[in-house]
Short mmCIF file of all heavy atoms in Angstrom, two decimals:
data_model
loop_
_atom_site.label_atom_id
_atom_site.label_comp_id
_atom_site.label_asym_id
_atom_site.label_seq_id
_atom_site.Cartn_x
_atom_site.Cartn_y
_atom_site.Cartn_z
N GLU A 187 -2.48 53.64 -48.51
CA GLU A 187 -3.08 54.97 -48.55
C GLU A 187 -4.26 54.92 -47.59
O GLU A 187 -5.30 54.33 -47.89
CB GLU A 187 -3.54 55.31 -49.97
CG GLU A 187 -2.45 55.32 -51.02
CD GLU A 187 -1.73 56.66 -51.11
OE1 GLU A 187 -1.99 57.52 -50.23
OE2 GLU A 187 -0.95 56.86 -52.04
N CYS A 188 -4.11 55.51 -46.42
CA CYS A 188 -5.07 55.30 -45.32
C CYS A 188 -6.37 56.08 -45.46
O CYS A 188 -7.28 55.90 -44.64
CB CYS A 188 -4.41 55.65 -44.00
SG CYS A 188 -3.08 54.52 -43.54
N GLY A 189 -6.47 56.93 -46.47
CA GLY A 189 -7.70 57.69 -46.67
C GLY A 189 -7.44 58.90 -47.54
O GLY A 189 -6.30 59.18 -47.94
N PHE A 190 -8.50 59.66 -47.83
CA PHE A 190 -8.43 60.81 -48.72
C PHE A 190 -8.61 62.11 -47.94
O PHE A 190 -9.67 62.36 -47.36
CB PHE A 190 -9.51 60.71 -49.79
CG PHE A 190 -9.21 59.72 -50.88
CD1 PHE A 190 -9.39 58.36 -50.65
CD2 PHE A 190 -8.75 60.13 -52.12
CE1 PHE A 190 -9.12 57.44 -51.64
CE2 PHE A 190 -8.48 59.21 -53.12
CZ PHE A 190 -8.66 57.86 -52.88
N LEU A 191 -7.57 62.94 -47.95
CA LEU A 191 -7.69 64.25 -47.32
C LEU A 191 -8.64 65.15 -48.10
O LEU A 191 -9.14 66.14 -47.55
CB LEU A 191 -6.32 64.92 -47.24
CG LEU A 191 -5.34 64.35 -46.21
CD1 LEU A 191 -4.02 65.12 -46.25
CD2 LEU A 191 -5.93 64.37 -44.81
N SER A 192 -8.89 64.84 -49.36
CA SER A 192 -9.78 65.64 -50.19
C SER A 192 -11.25 65.42 -49.84
O SER A 192 -12.11 66.19 -50.26
CB SER A 192 -9.55 65.31 -51.67
OG SER A 192 -9.49 63.90 -51.88
N ASN A 193 -11.55 64.37 -49.09
CA ASN A 193 -12.92 64.12 -48.64
C ASN A 193 -13.09 64.68 -47.23
O ASN A 193 -12.38 64.27 -46.30
CB ASN A 193 -13.21 62.62 -48.66
CG ASN A 193 -14.61 62.28 -48.20
OD1 ASN A 193 -14.86 62.14 -47.02
ND2 ASN A 193 -15.53 62.16 -49.14
N GLU A 194 -13.99 65.61 -47.05
CA GLU A 194 -14.10 66.34 -45.78
C GLU A 194 -14.36 65.41 -44.59
O GLU A 194 -13.71 65.53 -43.54
CB GLU A 194 -15.21 67.38 -45.86
CG GLU A 194 -15.33 68.22 -44.60
CD GLU A 194 -16.40 69.30 -44.72
OE1 GLU A 194 -17.03 69.39 -45.79
OE2 GLU A 194 -16.59 70.05 -43.74
N ALA A 195 -15.29 64.48 -44.75
CA ALA A 195 -15.63 63.59 -43.64
C ALA A 195 -14.44 62.71 -43.27
O ALA A 195 -14.14 62.51 -42.08
CB ALA A 195 -16.84 62.74 -43.99
N GLU A 196 -13.76 62.18 -44.29
CA GLU A 196 -12.63 61.30 -44.01
C GLU A 196 -11.45 62.10 -43.46
O GLU A 196 -10.73 61.63 -42.58
CB GLU A 196 -12.22 60.54 -45.26
CG GLU A 196 -11.25 59.41 -44.98
CD GLU A 196 -11.27 58.35 -46.06
OE1 GLU A 196 -10.95 58.67 -47.22
OE2 GLU A 196 -11.62 57.20 -45.74
N ARG A 197 -11.26 63.31 -43.96
CA ARG A 197 -10.19 64.17 -43.45
C ARG A 197 -10.38 64.43 -41.96
O ARG A 197 -9.42 64.38 -41.17
CB ARG A 197 -10.16 65.50 -44.21
CG ARG A 197 -9.09 66.47 -43.72
CD ARG A 197 -9.00 67.70 -44.61
NE ARG A 197 -10.18 68.53 -44.58
CZ ARG A 197 -11.06 68.65 -45.57
NH1 ARG A 197 -10.90 67.95 -46.69
NH2 ARG A 197 -12.11 69.45 -45.47
N THR A 198 -11.61 64.69 -41.56
CA THR A 198 -11.90 64.93 -40.14
C THR A 198 -11.52 63.72 -39.30
O THR A 198 -10.90 63.85 -38.23
CB THR A 198 -13.39 65.25 -39.95
OG1 THR A 198 -13.72 66.44 -40.69
CG2 THR A 198 -13.72 65.46 -38.48
N LYS A 199 -11.85 62.53 -39.77
CA LYS A 199 -11.52 61.31 -39.03
C LYS A 199 -10.02 61.09 -38.99
O LYS A 199 -9.46 60.69 -37.95
CB LYS A 199 -12.22 60.10 -39.66
CG LYS A 199 -13.71 60.09 -39.48
CD LYS A 199 -14.32 58.74 -39.80
CE LYS A 199 -14.17 58.38 -41.25
NZ LYS A 199 -14.88 57.11 -41.57
N LEU A 200 -9.34 61.32 -40.11
CA LEU A 200 -7.90 61.08 -40.18
C LEU A 200 -7.11 61.97 -39.24
O LEU A 200 -5.99 61.62 -38.84
CB LEU A 200 -7.41 61.28 -41.62
CG LEU A 200 -7.80 60.19 -42.62
CD1 LEU A 200 -7.57 60.67 -44.05
CD2 LEU A 200 -7.01 58.91 -42.36
N MET A 201 -7.69 63.08 -38.83
CA MET A 201 -7.01 63.99 -37.92
C MET A 201 -7.27 63.63 -36.45
O MET A 201 -6.69 64.24 -35.56
CB MET A 201 -7.44 65.43 -38.19
CG MET A 201 -7.04 65.94 -39.57
SD MET A 201 -7.65 67.61 -39.93
CE MET A 201 -6.65 68.60 -38.82
N GLN A 202 -8.12 62.63 -36.21
CA GLN A 202 -8.46 62.23 -34.85
C GLN A 202 -7.59 61.06 -34.39
O GLN A 202 -7.41 60.08 -35.12
CB GLN A 202 -9.93 61.84 -34.78
CG GLN A 202 -10.89 62.98 -35.09
CD GLN A 202 -12.33 62.54 -35.22
OE1 GLN A 202 -12.63 61.35 -35.21
NE2 GLN A 202 -13.23 63.50 -35.33
N GLU A 203 -7.06 61.14 -33.18
CA GLU A 203 -6.17 60.11 -32.66
C GLU A 203 -6.85 58.75 -32.58
O GLU A 203 -6.23 57.72 -32.83
CB GLU A 203 -5.64 60.51 -31.28
CG GLU A 203 -4.58 61.60 -31.34
CD GLU A 203 -3.79 61.68 -30.05
OE1 GLU A 203 -3.72 60.66 -29.33
OE2 GLU A 203 -3.23 62.75 -29.78
N ASP A 204 -8.13 58.73 -32.21
CA ASP A 204 -8.85 57.47 -32.09
C ASP A 204 -8.90 56.74 -33.44
O ASP A 204 -8.67 55.53 -33.51
CB ASP A 204 -10.26 57.71 -31.56
CG ASP A 204 -11.07 56.42 -31.50
OD1 ASP A 204 -10.72 55.55 -30.68
OD2 ASP A 204 -12.04 56.27 -32.26
N TYR A 205 -9.17 57.48 -34.49
CA TYR A 205 -9.25 56.85 -35.82
C TYR A 205 -7.86 56.45 -36.30
O TYR A 205 -7.69 55.39 -36.92
CB TYR A 205 -9.90 57.79 -36.82
CG TYR A 205 -10.22 57.13 -38.14
CD1 TYR A 205 -11.24 56.19 -38.24
CD2 TYR A 205 -9.49 57.43 -39.29
CE1 TYR A 205 -11.53 55.56 -39.43
CE2 TYR A 205 -9.78 56.81 -40.49
CZ TYR A 205 -10.81 55.88 -40.57
OH TYR A 205 -11.09 55.26 -41.75
N GLN A 206 -6.86 57.26 -36.02
CA GLN A 206 -5.49 56.89 -36.36
C GLN A 206 -5.09 55.58 -35.67
O GLN A 206 -4.45 54.72 -36.27
CB GLN A 206 -4.53 58.01 -35.93
CG GLN A 206 -4.71 59.30 -36.70
CD GLN A 206 -3.98 60.47 -36.06
OE1 GLN A 206 -3.30 60.31 -35.03
NE2 GLN A 206 -4.11 61.65 -36.64
N GLN A 207 -5.52 55.43 -34.42
CA GLN A 207 -5.24 54.19 -33.68
C GLN A 207 -5.94 53.00 -34.31
O GLN A 207 -5.38 51.90 -34.41
CB GLN A 207 -5.67 54.34 -32.23
CG GLN A 207 -5.29 53.15 -31.34
CD GLN A 207 -3.79 53.01 -31.21
OE1 GLN A 207 -3.12 53.94 -30.74
NE2 GLN A 207 -3.24 51.87 -31.63
N ARG A 208 -7.16 53.19 -34.76
CA ARG A 208 -7.91 52.10 -35.39
C ARG A 208 -7.24 51.67 -36.70
O ARG A 208 -7.21 50.48 -37.02
CB ARG A 208 -9.36 52.53 -35.64
CG ARG A 208 -10.15 52.74 -34.34
CD ARG A 208 -11.51 53.34 -34.61
NE ARG A 208 -12.38 52.38 -35.30
CZ ARG A 208 -13.58 52.70 -35.79
NH1 ARG A 208 -14.03 53.95 -35.67
NH2 ARG A 208 -14.33 51.79 -36.38
N LEU A 209 -6.72 52.63 -37.43
CA LEU A 209 -5.97 52.30 -38.65
C LEU A 209 -4.71 51.51 -38.31
O LEU A 209 -4.41 50.50 -38.95
CB LEU A 209 -5.61 53.58 -39.40
CG LEU A 209 -6.74 54.29 -40.14
CD1 LEU A 209 -6.31 55.71 -40.51
CD2 LEU A 209 -7.14 53.52 -41.40
#
Side-chain angles (χ1 to χ4, degrees):
E187 300 274 9
C188 293
F190 284 77
L191 288 180
S192 47
N193 180 274
E194 183 178 359
E196 192 157 62
R197 179 173 66 252
T198 299
K199 291 194 294 185
L200 287 165
M201 296 177 70
Q202 297 172 352
E203 286 197 25
D204 177 67
Y205 190 71
Q206 294 167 2
Q207 186 65 60
R208 293 172 69 188
L209 286 164

